[in-house]
Amino acid sequence: MTTDSAVFAGGCTCRAVRYRMTSRPLFVHCCHCRWCQRETGSAFALNALIEADRVELLQGEVEVIATPSNSGKGQQIARCSKCRIALWSNYAGAGDALRFVRVGTLDEPDRFPPDIHIFTASKQPWVLLPASTPAVPEYYRASQHWPAESLARRAAL
Ligand SMILES: [Zn+2]
Ligand SMILES: [Zn+2]
């Protein structure tokens, strides 16, 4: 399957909302910050960063809820209007053009392992990270970790 023809679908738990990414994401974050731990009720959040116009809503409605974020600038979380499962976010810092799709809502989440682990300073100690994936204590510069193709796509935003 080529990058351009790849189509990746997902949805919420009640099945009212279905969406798809029309290409591979730019990059996948596994975030171990306390905010993601609280929002997910788990140890980390897995987010696929992708251009907003490459996320198509196929069915149902999302409700966008303003939510505080670690940066203090806030995030807009799109949730199914029925079951309230979070599907993606836009962060104020990254702008409306970039979405953080919750990888766990994709039909085939195994396809998108993390490209980087971030905020590992607050990683839960039982989570063991593979040496083969970059990991940073807080955040990072995209220019140092993203593939050239993804940097070019981001520059086009
Ligand atoms: Zn739902
Ligand atoms: Zn986080």
Side-chain angles (χ1 to χ4, degrees):
M1 185 159 29
T2 69
T3 298
D4 290 335
S5 68
V7 172
F8 306 103
C12 66
T13 290
C14 81
R15 312 298 282 179
V17 171
R18 297 289 298 162
Y19 72 89
R20 67 176 181 176
M21 300 190 299
T22 60
S23 78
R24 293 194 63 80
L26 296 157
F27 213 58
V28 177
H29 285 174
C30 185
C31 184
H32 300 263
C33 82
R34 295 294 186 210
W35 292 72
C36 286
Q37 291 176 5
R38 186 167 50 239
E39 284 168 24
T40 60
S42 185
F44 50 77
L46 205 50
N47 288 309
L49 283 61
I50 187 168
E51 298 93 327
D53 63 6
R54 296 191 186 202
V55 181
E56 291 182 355
L57 190 60
L58 302 174
Q59 172 190 308
E61 289 178 14
V62 296
E63 185 169 349
V64 177
I65 299 177
T67 308
S69 72
N70 193 14
S71 72
K73 297 175 183 169
Q75 60 174 317
Q76 305 288 327
I77 302 183
R79 295 178 177 274
C80 169
S81 59
K82 288 188 176 171
C83 72
R84 309 285 179 176
I85 293 293
L87 298 159
W88 58 77
S89 298
N90 289 66
Y91 286 90
D96 292 340
L98 193 63
R99 281 188 185 165
F100 288 60
V101 172
R102 303 286 210 270
V103 170
T105 67
L106 292 164
D107 294 344
E108 298 184 29
D110 299 3
R111 287 179 180 240
F112 304 103
D115 293 310
I116 194 167
H117 292 269
I118 62 174
F119 288 99
T120 60
S122 51
K123 178 180 75 64
Q124 294 192 11
W126 55 267
V127 175
L128 305 179
L129 303 182
S132 55
T133 305
V136 293
E138 292 190 354
Y139 213 69
Y140 69 98
R141 286 182 178 279
S143 58
Q144 291 176 349
H145 290 284
W146 286 23
E149 182 198 341
S150 294
L151 288 169
R153 279 168 57 185
R154 189 183 68 162
L157 284 176

